[in-house]
């Protein structure tokens, strides 16, 4: 028999999990504005998502709205933050202290969303022993030892593309279970390993293309 | 009559534009490995995308493969880089020099993908006149003047969520045509404005959820 908690956790589709933070952001904003209630129709209207999708998404979260009144905003914020894992502290290692890796070490905002980078790893010997934003950098060779000491199972991958696959394999065999992949390389991993691809540069391609298209239209008219 | 170039630029679907950088990354890797030819089947197999999708995606790009031999890798890399806009230099302003904004100013990797951040703006008076990674920070009040001087039309949005909408409106009225939105807030913009949402924290929610689910499964077995 499947218990309720398990069912919730296995069943939440990825698009829902990606939209819930938008609802959270909007609810936080309205809470700050002094509002106390929020309907799914209001959420839908303000963030341009169909209201049936909002209602469906929120049905995965254990919160009940009242007819015609909507959700209690404070409760909605608290429950969403917990549901999304933003109130827990998840510790992570970062692999590849190059340009993007270094930049992420500077991003203290990650902690607000439940992620704490506790160490960076790189193959460059001159980086070992240094620190960025008070986060220590170690040589990649020391990863297994530090993983065993800490039990950390989340890895942020910011290595060059030609190292993405080999470093992934190394860190998975050393105990990493979830990889947040910032490289544009599609790593291949065993089925029980979680991968989230956040190739921010791919978004640039979309932006450049659309901007060109719009400006060409303007030039023609 | 619609000319060919225009047709390509208006017709490329967003999922295609997001996948093309993966193919580019893989082609760059194979090029570095000394390979000279690459088929769409090989690309498909190595990055776990259906080969019919790869072929379809590449059909938007003006490159022809030869039957059974595939694409010339060097040509594929050159054409993809140009098609995606990574070889042009697109200048951008960044709005909101907080944690994530500051981190992005440190990311010199963006330049490799055609984006150069030339200035940051913030409402904090104490930040005006400082610089991060040699990029000058100005007060937001100076934006319009600097926009008119430079003609820069890309804005990176890294302000707090409660400022996302108002800052967007301000910068759009001041000449910004494309917004790379890193906030989890869904901004509302006129139809002719390009928005790319890169809410990296939303990916954390997916990762945390999946990691929990897998570990609960392991605990049960």
């Amino acid at each position: 028999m499947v218990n309720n908690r398990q069912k919730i956790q296995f069943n939440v589709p990825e698009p829902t999990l990606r939209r819930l933070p938008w609802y959270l952001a909007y609810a936080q904003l309205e809470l700050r504005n002094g509002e106390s209630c929020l309907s799914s129709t209001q959420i839908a209207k303000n963030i341009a998502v169909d209201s049936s999708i909002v209602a469906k998404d929120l049905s995965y979260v254990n919160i009940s709205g009242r007819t015609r009144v909507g959700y209690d905003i404070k409760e909605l914020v608290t429950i969403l933050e917990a549901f999304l894992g933003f109130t827990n502290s998840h510790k992570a290692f970062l692999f590849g202290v190059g340009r993007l890796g270094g930049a992420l070490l500077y991003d203290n905002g990650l902690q607000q969303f439940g992620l704490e980078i506790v160490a960076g790893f790189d193959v460059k010997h001159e980086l070992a022993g240094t620190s960025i934003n008070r986060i220590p950098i170690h040589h990649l060779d020391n990863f297994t030892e530090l993983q065993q000491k800490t039990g950390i199972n989340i890895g942020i991958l910011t290595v060059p593309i030609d190292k993405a696959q080999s470093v992934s394999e190394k860190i998975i065999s050393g105990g990493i279970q979830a990889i947040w992949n910032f490289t544009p390389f599609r790593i291949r991993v065993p089925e029980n390993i979680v991968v989230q691809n956040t190739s921010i540069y791919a978004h640039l391609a979309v932006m450049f293309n659309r901007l060109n298209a719009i400006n060409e239209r303007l030039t023609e008219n």
Side-chain angles (χ1 to χ4, degrees), chain A residues 9-179:
Chain A
Q9 293 197 322
F10 278 89
N11 282 348
V12 191
E14 187 162 330
T16 294
L17 284 168
R18 292 200 180 201
R19 280 188 299 260
L20 288 174
W22 306 350
Y23 310 160
L24 172 61
Y26 180 64
Q28 285 169 325
L29 179 64
E30 289 298 297
L31 184 64
R32 217 171 300 169
N33 288 343
E35 300 296 324
S36 61
C37 275
L38 197 59
S39 68
S40 52
T41 323
Q42 262 176 287
I43 299 177
K45 202 185 135 198
N46 275 283
I47 61 176
V49 169
D50 199 86
S51 73
S52 62
I53 291 178
V54 176
K56 180 92 204 289
D57 286 344
L58 287 174
S59 74
Y60 289 103
V61 184
N62 190 18
I63 182 169
S64 46
R66 276 167 300 155
T67 324
R68 259 176 269 185
V69 181
Y71 304 99
D72 177 279
I73 298 191
K74 223 170 175 173
E75 198 189 345
L76 185 64
V77 167
T78 309
I79 289 182
L80 274 176
E81 281 182 335
F83 184 85
L84 295 170
F86 293 165
T87 47
N88 286 352
S89 173
H90 302 82
K91 291 183 195 300
F93 285 148
L94 179 138
F95 300 93
V97 187
R99 290 176 286 216
L100 181 59
L104 283 172
L105 293 176
Y106 279 109
D107 182 12
N108 299 318
L110 289 167
Q111 289 196 21
Q112 273 192 312
F113 293 87
L115 194 81
E116 188 194 344
I117 307 178
V118 298
F121 293 90
D122 205 284
V123 290
K124 291 209 184 85
H125 285 284
E126 62 269 31
L127 287 177
T130 66
S131 68
I132 291 181
N133 195 19
R134 282 182 244 174
I135 299 165
I137 316 296
H138 305 282
H139 192 274
L140 187 58
D141 288 347
N142 297 116
F143 155 67
T144 315
E145 189 196 331
L146 281 160
Q147 200 283 334
Q148 282 166 0
K149 247 188 220 165
T150 58
I152 285 171
N153 59 2
I154 297 177
I156 302 172
L157 194 68
T158 47
V159 297
I161 50 169
D162 57 326
K163 298 291 179 295
Q165 186 61 37
S166 61
V167 171
S168 297
E169 288 167 14
K170 186 186 165 79
I171 65 179
I172 289 168
S173 74
I176 293 295
Q177 294 182 292
I179 295 180

Side-chain angles (χ1 to χ4, degrees), chain A residues 157-214:
Chain A
L157 194 68
T158 47
V159 297
I161 50 169
D162 57 326
K163 298 291 179 295
Q165 186 61 37
S166 61
V167 171
S168 297
E169 288 167 14
K170 186 186 165 79
I171 65 179
I172 289 168
S173 74
I176 293 295
Q177 294 182 292
I179 295 180
W180 194 7
N181 177 24
F182 279 84
T183 81
F185 191 79
R186 313 321 274 175
I187 50 172
R188 297 176 302 281
V189 301
E191 232 187 316
N192 60 338
I193 301 297
V194 178
V195 174
Q196 267 297 299
N197 294 305
T198 303
S199 177
I200 66 170
Y201 306 127
H203 292 212
L204 280 177
V206 182
M207 198 168 67
F208 295 155
N209 183 281
R210 299 307 189 230
L211 191 56
N212 274 345
I214 283 178

